[in-house]
Amino acid sequence: MPQTAAEILAKKIEAEAKRLAPQAVIRIDYSNYKDDGADIYVYAPRKIADMLRGRLRSSLDTELKRTKGVRARILMEDIENMTAEAKKKYGIPS
């Protein structure tokens, strides 16, 4: 089954995030868009999140320029401030 441009873009950003911060947990959500976008949620410790946000933002901007008509956003969450229920829901180790 062929992947949409949004899925390909999200997988590239996910791979880049895993390369930069292996301990980060990444979740991709396509439900807010039809076939032309994705929300990429990155859960990482605070000291890594700021660095990761900057690097992923530049990678995302480059990919968005390359693939026209695709929308995406990166949403960062600090693992240290998450509740135990949220950690359990997303499979984040405590």
Side-chain angles (χ1 to χ4, degrees):
M1 184 172 177
Q3 292 183 334
T4 65
E7 290 172 339
I8 293 169
L9 176 112
K11 292 296 179 186
K12 285 182 182 179
I13 298 300
E14 180 181 19
E16 181 71 10
K18 282 293 186 185
R19 185 184 69 79
L20 292 171
Q23 70 274 26
V25 175
I26 296 127
R27 185 173 61 91
I28 302 171
D29 183 22
Y30 302 103
S31 64
N32 292 337
Y33 306 96
K34 293 183 182 174
D35 284 336
D36 64 343
D39 288 334
I40 304 162
Y41 296 90
V42 180
Y43 304 98
R46 179 180 297 157
K47 62 183 179 181
I48 296 172
D50 292 333
M51 176 274 305
L52 198 57
R53 179 181 294 124
R55 292 200 180 167
L56 291 178
R57 174 58 55 197
S58 64
S59 296
L60 180 66
D61 290 342
T62 302
E63 291 296 326
L64 286 174
K65 287 178 186 174
R66 191 173 303 154
T67 54
K68 301 291 182 193
V70 175
R71 297 180 293 169
R73 32 180 207 176
I74 297 175
L75 303 157
M76 288 289 209
E77 181 72 34
D78 182 14
I79 287 178
E80 297 161 359
N81 290 335
M82 291 178 74
T83 64
E85 293 84 22
K87 286 182 181 182
K88 184 177 179 182
K89 179 179 179 181
Y90 298 124
I92 298 169
S94 297

